[in-house]
Every structure is written in structure tokens, then in C-alpha cells.
Amino acid sequence: MRTTRIRLAAGAVVLALALAACSGGGDGDESADGSATGSGGGAIRVAVTDPVQLIPGRQSIAFDFNMAVWAPLTWIDDAGELSYVAADSVESEDGTTWTITLKDGWTFHDGTPVTAQSYVDAWNAVAYGPNAWENSGQLANIVGYDDLNPAEGEPTTTEMSGLAVVDDTTFTVTLTGPDGQFPMQLSQAQTAFYPMPESAFDDFDAYNVHPVGNGPFEVETDYAENEEMTVTAYADYQGPAPTVDAITFVPYTDTTTAYTDVQAGNIDVAGVPVARQTQASADFGDRLYTFEAAGISYLGLPLWDARYSDVRVRQAISMAIDRDTINDVIYGGLFTPATALTPAVEAGTPEGICAEYCEYDPEGAKALLEEAGGFDGTIDIYFPGGSGLDELYTAIANQLRQNLGVDAVATPSTDWAEFADKRTAGDIAGPFFSRWGALYPSQQNTLRAFYVEGGGCPNCIPYYEPEVTDLIAAADAEVDADAAAEAYAAVQERILEDFPAPPLFFETYSYVVSDRVAELPTSAVGNPTYTQVVLAEGA
């Protein structure tokens, strides 16, 4: 079986964070992800969830579509190397004010030029509070964001003061403080940083139906709910040429159906549903791809409940979970038991820092719980129903019951919306589903999401300590790779003193392909790079 595992080189992602950022990549005969360019012809059909929202500032599940229709300023490849795509350089002398210079000659698919104003206008629209766009928070560290999102009342301005156009190809970005990770934030999965043409601002609803981007593919057909959508190679694209001529995104409501449609040759690429992970290798052989990703799962704990207030209770729960067996039985060995608070692929992650508290030790767990005075009542684990997670949380409940001698059950919500509402409100009586898939491979993204209030994942881990927030900010300010790694490790050491929630797994993203696909490339994001798919000869 060919299982492709991708690991980002520790420290490599920070190479472009030097304050006088070096220019490189994205030009000539090499693609932004390092692969050869030149259209090989042909088309592919890929399974997706119906996106509803396609606008970069709004989308939450249309990443693959967005990364085909738009080009990012920077790109992080599967080795963790940062290069430039639409940007010619991203530079700063202090880590706070950044100058972004664009490559000249780029156009949107409607033929209009891509300018510095295109970015400034788009970012202001995303950040403008009354628009209530889903990806607004990606821009929260730009000076003036708070003015567009006042705590009370309507904003009195429509523009962030931290953005300034210098000329057609240059603009500056002033942040609320030094941030050595900023060039990474401009990379492919942070879609709030994509530009929009002037025509978009006339009617955003119409723009969502037929988006116009600056990327390698242009929209061929209008978006209609639950209908296929095709994009074709844009002839005047100034970046790396795609290796296919067209991509059709095929919406599915059932991931298992998509999986069997790949087997039947009806589509070319689909993600592997949890229920098929143990058999995917047997079903597809070397047509199974597993990409190590910047995702991590935790068992969230209701820290508002006094029964979980003793750190020894929290540690005992973690030690009672047999991650290795769960990984083998449920995930077919495709995941990795977590040993730190951030995914292993994020540069500088101190693997092993969780030590004995992330190791399976049922006897030690039971002794620790008894030392803490035991547990009163039932441990009722709550998770989103209909997401293929039943086996995981049932297994965890069984292990807690057997190893700790407590009542433990797993209860699904009706659907994702119900679960999300309850978790955000803190209306949960027991442990719960908690995970984050980082949009760029930096500890910053994961630590902010979980441990900074308003950082991206509300109540995923309801632990918001001012000291931790300050430590994260100090780590963000480091621009040297080694110094940043040490600073983020210090953040993790401080969090582990309180051990607010057990980390479970470093995640992988798995895909299966039809026999028409010879190579399925990836990047730092962990999902396929569809623009660079290599088709089999004669496909």
C-alpha cells in the first residue's frame, strides 16, 4: 500500500519570517508547491460538501474551490517551506508594520487588474462587522479591526486604519503588535486574505453565485444548491500553470456514497469517511493517500462543573484512555496518539511534552482519581450526532467506566448545529468533542484557537488564563525560528500545569482516488492540491 505521509520540517516554516523576508518561489517553470508546471490536459471530478457560501471571506467548507479560483499571497508547501504566489515580497523591520508588494501584471478573471486597492477593499469588507462574514476573525490583529467591530452599536467607519495603499502594487499592514507568523497567515487556507474585483462590491449575493477570482481556474457554471460546479483553467493566469484543464466539484450529503462512487469510477477523489478508514487500504491499495495534517483532537472538559476542578481528575481521565487501541480499531492506524497540545506538523511542537498524562496507565489513572476524592455522578460524553463519531466516544466512555470505576456514557446531539450551540453556550454537563484543524501550520493558530478567548473555537477548551494569553503573544512576537519554538513550548508547559483537557490525536486527512489519478499532491494544509493533480497516462 502506498500511504503518503507528509510531515513539515520543524523550523522550516519560519524561514520566511525573517523581518526582511526573502523572495522566492511561485515563478517560472516551478509551481508554488514545488511541482512542475504546464497543463497536462484532462479534467477531474472531486467530492465535496455543498458549500452554500463561496466568497472567500464567508466560506467555511469551500476551501478546495477557493484554492482553485483564487491565488494566495503566499504558499506553504508540504515541506513547510513558504514561498510567494501573488506577492513579490512581504517585509517588515519591526514585525508590526508589514509592506506587501504584489507581482505586476495579474488580472482577475473579468480582465480587470489585481491591485493593492483590491486587497484593501476586500479585507475591509470581510472585517466590517455588520457584514457578519464568517472569516472576519482572521483579520482581527490588524489595527482598526475593533473600529469595524465595536462592542456596542454600529461602526462609524468602513475602513481599518491599519491598511494603507502606497501604489498600485504596494500596500502596508499595521498589526496591533509584532507578529513573526504574519507571512504564514497570508497563505492558501486563510481565505479572508484573498482579493476581490471591484465588481464584487456591487452585489455580494450575485458574486457568491458566480465568483470572480485571481487564481488558476475561473468559474464556468453558476453556483446552485447541491448542483455540480465546474471551473476551467484561466488562460491569463500569471502564476504556476495547473496540470489539469478543468475541475468539477460534485456535492454529496453522504461521504460513504462518495467513497463508493470513487470505487465505481464515477468521481476521481473523495475523503475517507470514518466508517471506511479501517478498510480503505484493502479497498484501494496504493490509491489511498494519507496526509499528516495540522489537526488535533481533544476531549473537552466542562471546567464550569466543580467535579472537574481538580487537576488530578482531569489527568486521570486522560491516563484512562487507550489512544493506541482506539487508533488501531477505529482509525485503522491512520492517526497518531497526541503527545503535545499542538499537532506534530506545526513547527517546533514539543512532542512528548504531555509525558505520562498522555500515556495509557489504567492503574495510575484510578489511583490518581481516588487521590482526588473520586468522582460523583455520571461522566456523560457529548458529541455531534451524524458525524461518524459514535464509535470513538462510545469507546472512550467504555474505557473510563472500566478503568476508573465510574458511570460513563456517550450521548450524541441531534446534529452539528445543536452541538455547536450548546458548546458555545457552555450548556454541557460532561466531556465533549473538541478539535481544531489549523489553517496554517503554526502553533500560533492552534494555541490561539483553543486557549485565547475569541481565538476561533469558542469553548472548545474553556480555559482562558491571562498569563497564557500573554505567553502566546510573546511567542507570536518572536521572528527567529528557534526562539519562537522555545516560546511556544513555554506556553505548552504553562498550560500543562493546569491540564485543562486531554489531547487525543494528531490527525491525518485521508483520500481515495480513481485509477485515472496517478498522483495526488498536497501542501501544508493537508488537503489535496487539485490544481496540480497528475492524471494517469491516457486518462
Side-chain angles (χ1 to χ4, degrees):
M1 178 188 70
R2 177 186 61 196
T3 301
T4 305
R5 290 189 178 273
I6 302 298
R7 169 155 295 192
L8 304 180
V13 293
V14 193
L15 75 89
L17 305 183
L19 293 179
C22 60
S23 176
D27 273 329
D29 295 328
E30 188 170 284
S31 72
D33 69 350
S35 60
T37 63
S39 178
I44 56 173
R45 293 168 57 82
V46 302
V48 296
T49 300
D50 185 67
V52 182
Q53 297 294 342
L54 298 174
I55 296 176
R58 298 213 61 186
Q59 72 82 26
S60 58
I61 55 174
F63 289 97
D64 294 322
F65 174 87
N66 268 235
M67 285 187 274
V69 175
W70 281 269
L73 289 162
T74 67
W75 178 274
I76 306 174
D77 68 15
D78 58 6
E81 302 284 347
L82 187 145
S83 61
Y84 296 118
V85 183
D88 192 55
S89 64
V90 180
E91 300 177 334
S92 177
E93 294 183 355
D94 59 7
T96 299
T97 298
W98 294 82
T99 298
I100 299 175
T101 303
L102 304 176
K103 291 177 179 174
D104 199 11
W106 281 52
T107 62
F108 288 106
H109 302 149
D110 61 5
T112 60
V114 179
T115 66
Q117 193 69 52
S118 305
Y119 284 90
V120 169
D121 288 346
W123 295 8
N124 280 325
V126 175
Y128 187 59
N131 285 341
W133 282 10
E134 287 80 349
N135 295 324
S136 173
Q138 293 175 21
L139 306 168
N141 286 338
I142 297 175
V143 170
Y145 177 87
D146 289 345
D147 295 332
L148 271 60
N149 297 269
E152 297 181 2
E154 293 292 308
T156 58
T157 181
T158 59
E159 299 178 352
M160 289 183 282
S161 57
L163 299 178
V165 172
V166 177
D167 55 40
D168 281 351
T169 59
T170 311
F171 65 105
T172 60
V173 185
T174 303
L175 307 178
T176 56
D179 188 347
Q181 309 291 296
F182 183 65
M184 295 182 67
Q185 295 168 22
L186 304 176
S187 60
Q188 60 264 35
Q190 291 265 105
T191 60
F193 290 98
Y194 287 172
M196 293 187 291
E198 188 174 344
S199 60
F201 300 91
D202 296 334
D203 186 338
F204 284 128
D205 289 335
Y207 185 64
N208 191 66
V209 171
H210 198 107
V212 174
N214 67 326
F217 288 85
E218 59 183 324
V219 174
E220 180 77 13
T221 53
D222 287 354
Y223 167 73
E225 188 174 350
N226 288 313
E227 296 290 334
E228 295 181 4
M229 194 166 188
T230 298
V231 297
T232 56
Y234 176 51
D236 293 329
Y237 181 56
Q238 299 298 305
T243 56
V244 293
D245 291 332
I247 305 171
T248 297
F249 297 97
V250 184
Y252 283 83
T253 57
D254 183 350
T255 55
T256 300
T257 301
Y259 179 91
T260 57
D261 270 359
V262 177
Q263 289 179 297
N266 297 326
I267 57 172
D268 297 305
V269 189
V272 179
V274 174
R276 292 289 188 271
Q277 287 189 330
T278 57
Q279 68 187 68
S281 177
D283 287 345
F284 284 89
D286 65 359
R287 291 188 288 118
L288 166 66
Y289 287 81
T290 297
F291 302 131
E292 198 168 3
I296 186 171
S297 60
Y298 281 75
L299 182 65
L301 298 177
L303 301 181
W304 47 79
D305 186 329
R307 296 177 300 169
Y308 297 89
S309 61
D310 192 313
V311 67
R312 293 169 295 182
V313 171
R314 304 192 291 270
Q315 292 165 341
I317 289 173
S318 181
M319 294 163 64
I321 299 171
D322 186 353
R323 295 165 178 79
D324 286 316
T325 296
I326 289 174
N327 182 40
D328 290 339
V329 173
I330 296 176
Y331 296 118
L334 298 178
F335 280 14
T336 301
T339 62
L341 305 183
T342 55
V345 298
E346 293 179 349
T349 284
E351 293 184 68
I353 195 171
C354 189
E356 69 269 23
Y357 299 121
C358 285
E359 296 175 1
Y360 180 51
D361 181 3
E363 293 182 1
K366 190 168 186 178
L368 198 57
L369 185 64
E370 290 175 354
E371 182 183 311
F375 190 88
D376 183 25
T378 299
I379 295 179
D380 189 354
I381 304 174
Y382 186 61
F383 63 95
S387 300
L389 297 169
D390 298 68
E391 285 188 80
L392 168 64
Y393 288 102
T394 297
I396 292 175
N398 289 340
Q399 291 178 357
L400 296 183
R401 186 170 55 253
Q402 294 164 6
N403 297 328
L404 297 179
V406 299
D407 287 333
V409 297
T411 304
S413 66
T414 302
D415 53 25
W416 171 259
E418 179 187 83
F419 172 82
D421 287 345
K422 285 181 174 291
R423 184 173 68 180
T424 301
D427 185 20
I428 296 177
F432 51 88
F433 166 87
S434 177
R435 75 164 297 276
W436 181 255
L439 299 181
Y440 54 97
S442 168
Q443 291 183 66
Q444 176 192 71
N445 190 271
T446 299
L447 292 172
R448 280 184 179 179
F450 282 131
Y451 300 108
V452 175
E453 194 160 15
C457 198
N459 267 345
C460 277
I461 300 174
Y463 170 86
Y464 305 118
E465 288 292 322
E467 183 182 354
V468 171
T469 300
D470 291 343
L471 286 171
I472 292 174
D476 293 346
E478 297 287 356
V479 296
D480 175 76
D482 293 336
E486 287 184 17
Y488 286 121
V491 174
Q492 298 205 31
E493 288 176 1
R494 172 62 187 88
I495 294 170
L496 286 167
E497 291 177 10
D498 294 335
F499 203 84
L504 294 177
F505 297 102
F506 299 147
E507 296 183 349
T508 57
Y509 301 158
S510 298
Y511 297 84
V512 290
V513 302
S514 73
D515 57 13
R516 297 183 66 252
V517 176
E519 190 66 33
L520 188 70
T522 188
S523 70
V525 183
N527 63 326
T529 304
Y530 289 115
T531 62
Q532 298 297 319
V533 164
V534 178
L535 292 176
E537 189 173 345

